[in-house]
Amino acid sequence: MAIVRGAVVALVIGGMTLSGCGSLNPFRGPEPTAGAAEVGIGVNAFLWRASLDTLAFMPLVTADPWGGVINYDWFTSPEAPNERFKATVFILDSRLRADALNVSVVKEARDASGQWIAQPVAAQTETDLENAILTRARQLNLSTVR
C-alpha cells in the first residue's frame, strides 16, 4: 500500500513539473517570454478612439481594447435631472465599417417616490450615437492619411 501511495505521489509531482514545460507538446508554439508585451489593440483603433471621444461626457467604467467593449456609468443631464442614461459600446471588428459598431443605451427615469424606473430607449438614440462615432472615426482616419 505504501509503495502504491509513493508511486502516485511521484506521478502527481512529475506531472505537475512537466505540465509547466511547454516544449513537451509538439503542437504548441513557443511560449512568450516574460518581457514580451502585447502590441496594438484587438479592434479598429479609429472606432475605439472615436467611441471614447464621442462619449467622453459620460463617466467611464471599463474599457477593454482587446475585447472591444467600453462601459459607461450613469449620466444625468442638468437639463433633465429626473432621467439618466448609461451606455455600452461594442466594437466588433478590426475594420472601419458601420457594422463593426454597436451601441446599447439604458435609460431610467425617477418616479414620484424618487425610485429609478427603467424606461424604453428610442432606437434612434442608439443609431444617432453610432453615426456620431462613425463620423468621428472617419475624421480620425482621414487625418492620418495626410
Side-chain angles (χ1 to χ4, degrees):
M1 183 72 153
I3 294 173
V4 173
R5 188 174 301 156
V8 169
V9 170
L11 285 174
V12 169
I13 291 173
M16 290 186 328
T17 303
L18 293 176
S19 68
C21 183
S23 63
L24 293 179
N25 186 345
F27 302 107
R28 191 172 178 180
E31 295 291 324
T33 60
E38 290 289 322
V39 178
I41 61 175
V43 296
N44 183 276
F46 299 117
L47 288 173
W48 181 261
R49 181 78 247 161
S51 298
L52 293 172
D53 289 353
T54 303
L55 296 172
F57 64 93
M58 297 181 79
L60 183 65
V61 175
T62 61
D64 176 8
W66 289 272
V69 179
I70 306 171
N71 289 304
Y72 292 93
D73 206 356
W74 292 109
F75 169 76
T76 303
S77 170
E79 292 84 31
N82 290 327
E83 291 182 343
R84 66 182 186 174
F85 298 88
K86 75 189 314 189
T88 301
V89 177
F90 300 95
I91 301 172
L92 309 169
D93 202 333
S94 60
R95 297 172 290 175
L96 178 54
R97 300 169 38 125
D99 62 351
L101 179 70
N102 184 294
V103 177
S104 175
V105 178
V106 176
K107 176 183 176 182
E108 289 184 348
R110 196 183 320 245
D111 66 6
S113 68
Q115 298 295 314
W116 290 103
I117 307 297
Q119 300 291 310
V121 176
Q124 191 62 40
T125 302
E126 293 172 342
T127 301
D128 289 346
L129 284 172
E130 288 172 1
N131 288 336
I133 292 169
L134 287 166
T135 299
R136 178 68 181 134
R138 288 183 194 107
Q139 291 170 347
L140 292 169
N141 186 22
L142 290 173
S143 71
T144 61
V145 173
R146 295 177 190 180

